[in-house]
Amino acid sequence: SLLLGTTITISSNHWMMAWTGLEINTLAILPLISKPHHPRAIEAATKYFLVQAAASTLLLFSCTTNALFTGQWDITQLTHPISCLLLTTAISMKLGLVPFHFWFPEVLQGSPLTTGLLLATAMKFPPITLFLLTSPSLNYTLLTIMAIASAALGGWAGLNQTQIRKILAFSSISHLGWMTIIIIYNPKLTLITFYLYCMMTAAIFLTLKTTKSLKLSSIMAAWTKIPSLNAILMLALLSLAGLPPLTGFLPKWLIIQELTKQEMTSTATIIALLSLLGLFFYLRLAYCATITLPPNSANYMKQWQTNKPVNTLTTTFITLTITLLPLSPMIFS
């Protein structure tokens, strides 16, 4: 159902079909969130359902208003200003852009790691596609303000967290800020950023699933399980932060270059400085994962080293997360 909903939304021309795909998606992910019988999971599923239902209603209202004023049901023909404003609000709620971000860290914290990975990556694909299709008619001032606010809040709110899933949720919010700021000037760049973000996040989530780490304290003790994987997790985190020799630097570099071409140098400077906030909590995660030793009291037991081979998917994602930057000339060409 997830695949079906995503496919319907990204391949449709008519607003009703796009809305149907988004609804199928929402209903398909709910059982996955509420699968662990735990109050947190049920709460997360309820919050997710309410927010997504409200966003879908706004989307429906937006396209109906547009059809009323212009007689067009085509997605690319969204021209009425009120419809554009409503659509921006609806998609921002679906994605978790500031100021509609409150549900996202809570839902991610309440769901298991695999579902969290789906929520942070695959579930954002259909709304971003709708943003891409309607980008020429959207209000760029509003989008720029929301993007800078997302980058700022994603950095600030993540500083004080100890739960890894919440940290990754705020990281996702700040990355969405980077994607939104460029969507009007160069939509293809938004897609490249989204694909690379999905890849890096998948590598981190799968690594955490292998070592069963959910909190900073558990990631400190996890290094004895698979030492090599923990060392590589540090590189993956630094890649997500956007440090130069790693893959994550590529989208940030291209976005700053494009913003400078559009004579938005001040915007580029602000968003680049705000990414330093994110760098701080990625560094803290990386520090806990690799450099900190757990307290060695007499009754402390080290966790057994596992000889279980690491999943091929995890290794593929991690390799791409670390080494994709030299391939950037191919993307340019």
Side-chain angles (χ1 to χ4, degrees):
S1 293
L2 276 176
L3 284 172
L4 176 73
T6 306
T7 313
I8 288 176
T9 304
I10 64 178
S11 57
S12 57
N13 289 318
H14 196 286
W15 272 116
M16 293 308 284
M17 286 305 287
W19 173 78
T20 311
L22 288 171
E23 285 297 297
I24 292 173
N25 252 357
T26 303
L27 294 173
I29 195 88
L30 284 172
L32 290 174
I33 301 175
S34 57
K35 197 177 80 171
H37 293 295
H38 191 274
R40 267 291 171 87
I42 307 301
E43 184 190 344
T46 313
K47 282 178 179 169
Y48 186 77
F49 173 72
L50 290 172
V51 170
Q52 299 297 316
S56 292
T57 314
L58 273 175
L59 184 98
L60 207 51
F61 185 36
S62 153
C63 58
T64 319
T65 312
N66 190 61
L68 182 69
F69 284 111
T70 63
Q72 282 284 358
W73 280 103
D74 196 303
I75 292 184
T76 50
Q77 302 293 323
L78 189 86
T79 48
H80 196 266
I82 295 177
S83 300
C84 291
L85 194 64
L86 283 169
L87 179 89
T88 310
T89 312
I91 301 287
S92 304
M93 281 172 82
K94 285 227 165 263
L95 289 172
L97 270 174
V98 174
F100 308 104
H101 64 280
F102 296 103
W103 62 274
F104 188 53
E106 300 293 325
V107 170
L108 213 62
Q109 179 58 31
S111 46
L113 279 171
T114 322
T115 313
L117 173 59
L118 279 176
L119 282 171
T121 55
M123 298 303 289
K124 307 227 160 155
F125 189 46
I128 279 189
T129 315
L130 291 179
F131 245 171
L132 281 173
L133 291 171
T134 54
S135 61
S137 49
L138 296 177
N139 181 346
Y140 71 92
T141 317
L142 178 67
L143 281 183
T144 307
I145 292 169
M146 285 170 79
I148 289 178
S150 297
L153 190 123
W156 261 308
L159 294 179
N160 208 17
Q161 299 294 337
T162 54
Q163 297 285 342
I164 297 175
R165 282 172 294 184
K166 274 197 175 172
I167 292 179
L168 288 169
F170 285 117
S171 134
S172 177
I173 291 170
S174 66
H175 275 273
L176 279 171
W178 281 86
M179 290 172 215
T180 313
I181 204 157
I182 203 68
I183 198 158
I184 286 173
Y185 306 106
N186 194 340
K188 284 182 182 171
L189 201 45
T190 300
L191 266 187
I192 289 178
T193 311
F194 180 69
Y195 292 148
L196 291 176
Y197 159 74
C198 286
M199 196 182 64
M200 296 184 290
T201 309
I204 288 171
F205 267 103
L206 293 169
T207 307
L208 293 172
K209 193 174 184 303
T210 311
T211 57
K212 295 184 172 63
S213 312
L214 295 174
K215 301 195 292 288
L216 283 182
S217 53
S218 64
I219 208 175
M220 283 183 198
W223 70 275
T224 50
K225 287 182 187 173
I226 310 176
S228 54
L229 191 63
N230 251 30
I232 287 172
L233 174 63
M234 177 179 79
L235 289 174
L237 284 162
L238 294 180
S239 179
L240 197 57
L243 285 185
L246 306 162
T247 308
F249 178 59
L250 174 62
K252 287 194 163 71
W253 169 32
L254 293 179
I255 287 173
I256 288 174
Q257 189 179 338
E258 185 65 33
L259 285 173
T260 317
K261 275 185 199 165
Q262 301 289 346
E263 297 183 356
M264 296 174 68
T265 322
S266 52
T267 314
T269 312
I270 292 168
I271 202 163
L273 287 172
L274 288 172
S275 72
L276 288 175
L277 289 166
L279 177 63
F280 179 82
F281 62 74
Y282 293 124
L283 274 175
R284 196 175 66 178
L285 267 175
Y287 180 79
C288 287
T290 50
I291 304 170
T292 316
L293 286 176
N296 279 323
S297 54
N299 59 359
Y300 175 77
M301 287 188 56
K302 272 192 179 159
Q303 293 181 342
W304 282 95
Q305 188 158 342
T306 50
N307 291 324
K308 186 178 70 175
V310 180
N311 189 340
T312 323
L313 195 62
T314 315
T315 46
T316 312
F317 278 133
I318 281 181
T319 312
L320 291 172
T321 299
I322 294 168
T323 58
L324 211 57
L325 188 66
L327 299 181
S328 50
M330 280 167 57
I331 295 175
F332 285 141
S333 60

